Amino acid sequence: MCGIVAGVSGRDIVPVLVQGLQRLEYRGYDSCGVAVHSGGLQRARSTSRVAELAQQVQQESIGSGTGIAHTRWATHGAPAVHNAHPHFSHGPGAVAGTAGRVALVHNGIIENHDELRAALQAKGYVFESQTDTEVIAHLIDSLYEGDVFAALQGAVSQLRGAYALAVFHKDEPHRVVGARAGSPLVLGVGQGGAEHFLASDAMALAGVTDQIVYLEEGDLVDLQLGRYWVLDGAGRALSAAQRPVKTVQAHSGAAELGPYRHYMQKEIFEQPRAIGDTLEGLEGITPELFGDGAYGVFKEIDNVLILACGTSYYSGCTAKYWLEDIAKIPTQVEVASEYRYRTSVPNPRTLVVTITQSGETADTLAALRHAQSLGMKHTLTVCNVATSAMVRECELAYITRAGVEIGVASTKAFTTQLAGLFLLTLALAQSRGHLSEEAEAEHLKAMRHLPVALQAVLALEPQVISWAEDFARMDNALFLGRGLHYPIALEGALKLKEISYIHAEAYPAGELKHGPLALVTAAMPVVTVAPNNALLEKLKSNMQEVRARGGVLYVLADADTRIASSEGIHVIRMPEHYGALSPLLHVVPLQMLAYHTALAKGTDVDKPRNLAKSVTVE
């Protein structure tokens, strides 16, 4: 979601700050800004792109060795310059619009901002924005007695909610302090330890430093020239052993578009490579694929609870079919943001599985912690970031190797999640005595063939473009699937609405006559996922219901389904039937359909309106 870059150095770090913001643009944002210590406080803010901010910085000759920068995704207050970060605090009686004393950037949401605002207004502080962030700046100013780190410590003790903070004060040049609770923040050690940085993502520091310290929940950090300190929430200094410096390859090259028009297109076409990397070195099925001790954990559990959000939730819904069919284990899938707020019946013999691309998704992390608080200690994550909070907090993990995903609409992260979840299914089936050697060999052969099968699906792009030309003229669409492919229909509808802004809904095909059929007209295209499986004949009946009402069908059909193109029926034939793994193939044309429809409509494919890539607030 929002992005932070900050630092202290003996050189001008404004170019580093701006470049860091550009590397974080993929997260989504609606305003951006930078503030520096140049005798006093100086800043530039914009509701345009970071490129425009860079021009503003150059025109106003903003430069310094101490600074903070931010991309904002609006929560409190509209996307406007006066709500953009960094925020300044002026102190009681100050003239509005003048340079302040405290500069601050913030990711997260402060839940008690209203009561803090009222108390600060009573002290004479004047608010210039509608944000919860400005409250923190004023609070630190009110507590300042010559030491900005001490003021920060006092302030965070009064905050309720989630935050990652970077702060500096006009009276203390070459010093930036920070804190994290519920939102990610990393420390970067640069140029032989002579300069230091803070960022919400190590990728923001790619090309600047690969020496990264991952700050933990409640940590506070004090950056000065040539040195830094990390303290825990109780104020205890933490050693290098407790917060080690790690060498992290931030994959800056992955941010290059190459021959593609958009990152989403690039990431769709990277899926054969991503699946190959995710399965690299796979020789056989063993619980240890998920970490030391996995065998013992798998023997102790008798059910699975999957927690996830958005696209990751749909990968979990797909996995439910696999887990119950192949591993014979009862499985429940919950939307993470709902799970923690309802009364549930905990079972200590549950394996809690979280699915997340970033490993920092606030709702999923909170749901994990809620499950743990209920006594469910066995936890496993399928995640794309090995150094994320989710991986650190879970007992077991499978790290997918999708690489950095820039486009807001997830593609390669989804298919690699499915690959990881299928491996989990096989490992649980094996530990429960439901996987024969013959079946294991057959499944492994199919998985190793996935990159080649995906290449064949990508070759269908010209046919998908023809569909997209029709869809670009539509306002609504229905997606139908049955069984294992219903979650794929859900994912296809989500992709279309995310980036083309066409209203799209997905249903189990058998539910068509229980309501959605009332919507079917020639102006309502119906996308149908039609693999050659046990439900095919049922699905054909559902398709006839659509045609009888004048609906137009767009069918993804396996080669041997005997479904042919005719009036009102447009068929794209999949290269091969892929059995249990067919969801990984059928979702790819749906991704391409969403992409090319958005392209035809002229929307901002990689940065759809109102959406953010990494949702690190509740």
Side-chain angles (χ1 to χ4, degrees), residues 147-227:
D147 185 339
V148 68
F149 187 77
L152 175 66
Q153 282 182 297
V156 299
S157 69
Q158 298 183 44
L159 301 179
R160 293 202 311 271
Y163 53 81
L165 303 170
V167 189
F168 68 87
H169 194 281
K170 77 175 186 67
D171 293 341
E172 299 183 68
H174 298 300
R175 190 181 194 189
V176 170
V177 298
R180 70 148 293 184
S183 289
L185 193 66
V186 302
L187 161 66
V189 180
Q191 292 198 352
E195 59 183 12
H196 300 101
F197 302 92
L198 293 176
S200 46
D201 188 323
M203 185 177 175
L205 303 177
V208 178
T209 180
D210 61 359
Q211 300 300 292
I212 302 296
V213 177
Y214 287 90
L215 301 176
E216 300 287 346
E217 191 75 1
D219 282 358
L220 296 98
V221 60
D222 187 347
L223 307 185
Q224 298 184 33
L225 283 178
R227 52 186 178 173

Side-chain angles (χ1 to χ4, degrees), residues 230-246:
V230 180
L231 279 68
D232 65 16
R236 295 183 293 261
L238 299 169
S239 68
Q242 292 169 297
R243 295 294 182 270
V245 177
K246 298 182 178 180

Side-chain angles (χ1 to χ4, degrees), residues 424-603:
L424 175 62
T425 298
L426 298 182
L428 285 169
Q430 183 189 71
S431 67
R432 294 167 64 83
H434 298 301
L435 186 69
S436 66
E437 289 185 9
E438 294 78 8
E440 178 182 345
E442 185 177 336
H443 286 309
L444 286 174
K445 180 181 178 182
M447 295 195 80
R448 293 184 183 119
H449 183 62
L450 273 172
V452 174
L454 284 167
Q455 289 287 8
V457 175
L458 290 168
L460 300 172
E461 186 178 31
Q463 298 176 58
V464 176
I465 292 173
S466 176
W467 283 16
E469 291 168 355
D470 294 344
F471 276 73
R473 298 190 294 269
M474 303 297 178
D475 295 319
N476 303 280
L478 284 176
F479 287 68
L480 302 179
R482 297 206 72 145
L484 184 62
H485 294 81
Y486 167 49
I488 299 308
L490 286 165
E491 173 63 8
L494 176 63
K495 284 291 155 286
L496 189 67
K497 71 181 92 172
E498 277 182 316
I499 61 170
S500 75
Y501 314 145
I502 292 172
H503 174 250
E505 298 297 337
Y507 289 90
E511 282 294 292
L512 192 62
K513 56 186 172 292
H514 294 289
L517 198 58
L519 297 173
V520 171
T521 68
M524 173 74 82
V526 180
V527 180
T528 308
V529 183
N532 188 10
N533 59 20
L535 292 171
L536 178 62
E537 295 306 316
K538 298 287 185 184
L539 185 63
K540 287 182 178 179
S541 297
N542 303 138
M543 291 165 57
Q544 290 303 316
E545 292 170 348
V546 172
R547 287 299 299 128
R549 275 76 181 178
V552 180
L553 287 161
Y554 293 79
V555 186
L556 292 173
D558 283 347
D560 48 0
T561 55
R562 298 189 302 281
I563 300 172
S565 294
S566 60
E567 184 181 355
I569 303 179
H570 306 274
V571 177
I572 291 178
R573 206 162 296 287
M574 300 292 287
E576 58 184 304
H577 176 55
Y578 223 68
L581 286 167
S582 66
L584 281 85
L585 303 190
H586 278 87
V587 75
V588 174
L590 300 181
Q591 295 169 347
M592 291 193 290
L593 176 62
Y595 171 73
H596 284 290
T597 302
L599 198 63
K601 288 175 67 69
T603 63

Side-chain angles (χ1 to χ4, degrees), residues 65-82:
T66 303
I68 57 178
H70 191 265
T71 52
R72 175 179 185 254
W73 190 80
T75 52
H76 297 76
V81 170
H82 68 278

